[in-house]
Amino acid sequence: MDSTQLLKGVLDSAVLAVLVDEDGYGYDIVRRLRVAGFEDIGDASVYGTLRRLYANGYLTSYVVPSESGPHRKYYGVNASGRAQLKESTTTWRVFAGVMDRLLGAERGDRV
């Protein structure tokens, strides 16, 4: 199965999840996602997701000056983003439970 399609479906939730406890800037968010297990995630996908989540009102942003390079735009999850993450977490758990049952994870591998 091509995990790229699965990732597209959960990237919004993954980005919100890595930002919910600590604000971050673009590359830092990419790094956190890679450390979490999304090793092949593309920078452009994450930056596009950040723009979309911000436009949808789920993120706040602010700029922090840097002495050693360009300023960094930090993102943080606001109340709407926390509500969205809670909703998507519930949806994911229901979906994953159904898939686990269908694939026989509760009875061991059937394949």
Side-chain angles (χ1 to χ4, degrees), residues 18-78:
V18 299
L19 287 173
V20 75
D21 292 325
E22 182 182 1
D23 296 354
Y25 59 92
Y27 184 73
D28 175 54
I29 297 164
V30 171
R31 183 193 57 77
R32 289 190 219 173
L33 289 166
R34 288 178 178 159
V35 167
F38 293 125
E39 294 92 3
D40 296 330
I41 188 125
D43 296 7
S45 295
V46 175
Y47 285 99
T49 298
L50 287 167
R51 284 190 297 275
R52 185 176 56 258
L53 290 171
Y54 181 78
N56 288 339
Y58 299 137
L59 298 177
T60 59
S61 71
Y62 54 95
V63 175
V64 174
S66 172
E67 293 179 12
S68 63
H71 300 327
R72 291 184 173 156
K73 186 173 187 177
Y74 278 75
Y75 293 91
V77 180
N78 60 24

Side-chain angles (χ1 to χ4, degrees), residues 56-105:
N56 288 339
Y58 299 137
L59 298 177
T60 59
S61 71
Y62 54 95
V63 175
V64 174
S66 172
E67 293 179 12
S68 63
H71 300 327
R72 291 184 173 156
K73 186 173 187 177
Y74 278 75
Y75 293 91
V77 180
N78 60 24
S80 295
R82 289 178 191 281
Q84 177 60 31
L85 180 58
K86 183 176 181 180
E87 180 182 323
S88 65
T89 298
T90 300
T91 301
W92 173 257
R93 288 186 175 144
V94 169
F95 178 80
V98 169
M99 288 304 298
D100 283 347
R101 285 189 300 279
L102 286 172
L103 296 173

